[in-house]
Amino acid sequence: MNAIKHFLLDEDATTAVEYAVMLGLILLSAISAISTFGVGTGGLWGGIAAQL
């Protein structure tokens, strides 16, 4: 029980949670940017393939 209490009161746990949330937001924005870029270039490559 003391270990759980110590973990909850320790500032390192808060920092770890903040970093995890920040990492999640960065990954979410990177995945959405890559997805948007892929959809945008998909039409470009489709048009080039149709012209060939």
Side-chain angles (χ1 to χ4, degrees):
M1 191 67 178
N2 283 338
I4 295 171
K5 187 176 181 182
H6 182 265
F7 178 75
L8 292 175
L9 296 176
D10 191 12
E11 290 186 17
D12 290 337
T14 305
T15 304
V17 171
E18 290 172 353
Y19 282 133
V21 169
M22 195 175 356
L23 178 64
L25 291 173
I26 290 170
L27 288 175
L28 181 66
S29 63
I31 290 171
S32 64
I34 292 169
S35 176
T36 302
F37 181 74
V39 169
T41 58
L44 173 71
W45 293 115
I48 292 172
Q51 289 178 357
L52 290 175

